[in-house]
Amino acid sequence: MSENAKGGFNMKYVHFAITFALMFLFRFVPPFGTVTPYGMALIGIFVGLIYSWTVDADNLCWGSLMGLVALGVTDFGNAGTALATAFGNESVMLMLLGMFFLGMLQESQLTEWISNKLLGAKFTQGKPWVLTAFIIIVPALVTILVNATLVSLMMFVIYAEIFRQAGYKKGDLYPAMTLMGFMLVNSVCLSLFPFRGWCLMTVGMATKAGVAINMSGWIITEVVTIAVTCVGWMLIMLITPGCKVDKLKEIDITQFQKDSAPLTKKQKAVLAITLANLVGCIVISFAGGNEGFRLIMKNIGVYGWVVLMIAIAMVWKVDGQPVLDKKKAPAFFYWDLILVVAAAMVVANQLTSATTGVTAMIGQLVAPLMSLPPYAFLLALGVITFVATNFANNVAVTITMMTVAMTLAVQVPSMNLQVALMVITIYGVIGLMTPSGSVNGAMIHAHEYTTTKSAYLAGAIMMVFLIIVMALVVIPLGLKLMV
């Protein structure tokens, strides 16, 4: 790239032209199969987004913005509708609100203090793999109780500070593998309880179909799967060439111990607000109800609580300065991340809508699997779900694959539908390979210490690893416990 610039020609113009052609001209390619003209337009925009993010990992904004404009000149509506839909997405809204907390944490240098504490901890001295396991597994398990997006955003900046202080460079494999490890454990934890959150969709569909889910069998299978995922990923990092922890082993913890003492008044205030935010989110998640005070808590919700904490932080002053300075916090906003998530979510949602014909095409491709033996079918169904959800909307892919599973269950009574639904639920939400797969996937690709190469390499390793976990743990254990 630098050579092109020296010669007076910048390859970014070529990348811009290719992205433009994909987003605005691919729609004129004749449709195929069940895909509609609108579907062709969406495919072009989707591929254009992936291309722009791949060729210019240092600036993910322009491709994301072009994608929203391109979406505005399709049957979806106008550009204003596309922007409103993108930024009206709940995940994007929560990330925008979360950026105020990140700005507060970074401006007060509390993230640096936390990373100093972690790097200077005595129990990790000379034990880089113990430190790695701690910073990956502990915060990932916290997402069982706390909103996963909020925890991920906080770890997003803490990891960056740890990598910086340890001396890692952008594109090194260790940062990408660490981020991937945290996000994959985080994602697997989403399916732990079949009576909460993401899993409620599965239970609802199963109930309508007259299928009773074995709750205890599901939870035990998930607990074992989470444990295997945690231990297995650490072993994967250990044996992966290029995933080096030498920089962590060579650090002098005495310097980090000196730099981590003690908290200033403002840092204490920021820490108090941050903890109050996390604890409040936990309480609201479990205590919300349909009457009295519980109804009030339900109506406030996680979003309302986060907004309230931001307001308090802006009013609360320490030494004459607000804990959250509205003028300084926006300087720490990660616009690359926000725009990638905003564009990826709206395009992925539309790509698998009924009007594109893409979902119908997936159904046709999966139909031949019905002739496979039960175990082989469950494995194939899980793998297809896993691959598809890394490119398209999680909900659309999951519902499509559940419909296929329920159709087969009518024809083949011996098939364990409970296990099929569980496998689809777990793997339908692990979209970490591409930026369009999920919010977590977008965060990995937009992180300042990853490149397109390191993110996709870690993603490929993740895909192979979790397919093995599916084949050797999830399905066999599910078949044994969920009867």
Side-chain angles (χ1 to χ4, degrees), residues 101-102 104-105 108 110 114 146 150 154 158 267-281 305 309 313 316 323:
F101 280 93
L102 296 190
M104 181 174 64
L105 287 165
S108 66
L110 186 60
I114 294 173
V146 186
L150 291 177
M154 288 183 59
I158 292 173
Q267 287 176 329
K268 289 179 181 178
V270 172
L271 182 60
I273 285 288
T274 303
L275 291 176
N277 183 51
L278 295 177
V279 172
C281 288
W305 183 257
M309 290 297 101
W316 186 5
V323 175

Side-chain angles (χ1 to χ4, degrees), residues 80-247:
T81 303
L83 287 167
T85 304
F87 286 94
N89 180 282
E90 290 188 356
S91 295
V92 177
M93 288 299 298
L94 190 58
M95 290 184 70
L96 281 168
L97 294 172
M99 289 298 167
F100 282 101
F101 280 93
L102 296 190
M104 181 174 64
L105 287 165
Q106 290 179 281
E107 193 270 328
S108 66
Q109 296 184 321
L110 186 60
T111 51
E112 186 174 345
W113 182 86
I114 294 173
S115 65
N116 284 332
K117 278 292 185 182
L118 291 172
L119 292 172
K122 291 184 178 180
F123 77 92
T124 65
Q125 184 175 8
K127 303 173 184 176
W129 287 112
V130 172
L131 174 61
T132 300
F134 184 80
I135 63 177
I136 289 176
I137 296 172
V138 173
L141 294 180
V142 168
T143 62
I144 295 173
L145 299 175
V146 186
N147 182 278
T149 301
L150 291 177
V151 176
S152 298
L153 284 173
M154 288 183 59
M155 292 309 302
F156 183 89
V157 293
I158 292 173
Y159 282 137
E161 191 62 38
I162 291 174
F163 300 149
R164 183 186 69 78
Q165 295 196 53
Y168 285 100
K169 297 179 181 179
K170 182 180 180 68
D172 285 346
L173 188 56
Y174 177 83
M177 294 290 282
T178 298
L179 290 167
M180 187 63 69
F182 164 72
M183 293 300 192
L184 74 88
V185 176
N186 174 340
S187 299
V188 173
C189 287
L190 286 174
S191 303
L192 176 58
F193 300 117
F195 46 80
R196 288 188 59 210
W198 165 249
C199 301
L200 288 176
M201 178 178 65
T202 302
V203 175
M205 291 187 67
T207 301
K208 289 182 180 179
V211 178
I213 298 294
N214 184 326
M215 299 288 186
S216 59
W218 178 306
I219 294 174
I220 293 172
T221 301
E222 254 287 290
V223 168
V224 174
T225 300
I226 292 171
V228 170
T229 301
C230 291
V231 175
W233 188 254
M234 296 310 304
L235 293 175
I236 291 294
M237 290 184 67
L238 180 65
I239 65 175
T240 299
C243 185
K244 301 178 180 178
V245 297
D246 53 330
K247 290 182 173 61

Side-chain angles (χ1 to χ4, degrees), residues 192-474:
L192 176 58
F193 300 117
F195 46 80
R196 288 188 59 210
W198 165 249
C199 301
L200 288 176
M201 178 178 65
T202 302
V203 175
M205 291 187 67
T207 301
K208 289 182 180 179
V211 178
I213 298 294
N214 184 326
M215 299 288 186
S216 59
W218 178 306
I219 294 174
I220 293 172
T221 301
E222 254 287 290
V223 168
V224 174
T225 300
I226 292 171
V228 170
T229 301
C230 291
V231 175
W233 188 254
M234 296 310 304
L235 293 175
I236 291 294
M237 290 184 67
L238 180 65
I239 65 175
T240 299
C243 185
K244 301 178 180 178
V245 297
D246 53 330
K247 290 182 173 61
L248 292 173
K249 191 173 185 178
E250 295 169 2
I251 61 176
D252 179 11
I253 70 166
T254 58
Q255 184 60 43
F256 294 114
Q257 290 172 336
K258 291 179 182 178
D259 292 339
S260 63
L263 287 171
T264 64
K265 288 183 180 179
K266 183 170 183 178
Q267 287 176 329
K268 289 179 181 178
V270 172
L271 182 60
I273 285 288
T274 303
L275 291 176
N277 183 51
L278 295 177
V279 172
C281 288
I282 295 173
V283 172
I284 287 173
S285 297
F286 285 92
N290 297 318
E291 57 183 19
F293 183 68
R294 296 186 66 188
L295 178 60
I296 295 175
M297 295 182 68
K298 178 182 178 182
N299 290 336
I300 292 174
V302 171
Y303 294 89
W305 183 257
V306 172
V307 171
L308 179 61
M309 290 297 101
I310 291 173
I312 292 174
M314 287 182 172
V315 173
W316 186 5
K317 289 189 176 182
V318 175
D319 294 331
Q321 297 295 321
V323 175
L324 196 167
D325 193 322
K326 66 185 177 73
K327 294 182 179 179
K328 295 180 180 179
F332 297 94
F333 275 36
Y334 291 87
W335 286 108
D336 270 354
L337 173 60
I338 293 171
L339 288 170
V340 166
V341 173
M345 294 301 100
V346 68
V347 173
N349 286 343
Q350 285 302 302
L351 188 64
T352 44
S353 66
T355 53
T356 64
V358 174
T359 300
M361 184 177 69
I362 293 174
Q364 289 183 358
L365 293 174
V366 173
L369 299 178
M370 293 184 179
S371 60
L372 294 174
Y375 175 83
F377 174 79
L378 290 173
L379 182 59
L381 198 67
V383 171
I384 292 173
T385 301
F386 193 24
V387 173
T389 202
N390 275 275
F391 295 92
N393 175 267
N394 290 342
V395 175
V397 170
T398 301
I399 290 177
T400 299
M401 302 311 288
M402 284 183 179
T403 302
V404 172
M406 289 179 176
T407 301
L408 179 67
V410 174
Q411 302 177 24
V412 186
S414 61
M415 191 194 82
N416 191 319
L417 183 56
Q418 290 188 71
V419 177
L421 295 177
M422 181 183 67
V423 171
I424 294 168
T425 302
I426 295 173
Y427 283 84
V429 77
I430 310 178
L432 306 177
M433 179 73 174
T434 69
S436 61
S438 67
V439 173
N440 288 348
M443 290 184 71
I444 293 171
H445 281 263
H447 197 274
E448 61 185 283
Y449 275 85
T450 61
T451 60
T452 300
K453 179 180 178 180
S454 66
Y456 276 115
L457 179 56
I461 295 171
M462 176 274 300
M463 295 282 286
V464 174
F465 168 65
L466 287 185
I467 288 174
I468 293 173
V469 172
M470 181 198 306
L472 301 182
V473 179
V474 181

Side-chain angles (χ1 to χ4, degrees), residues 30-36 40 356-358 360-361 364:
F32 57 91
T34 62
V35 180
T36 64
M40 295 300 292
T356 64
V358 174
M361 184 177 69
Q364 289 183 358

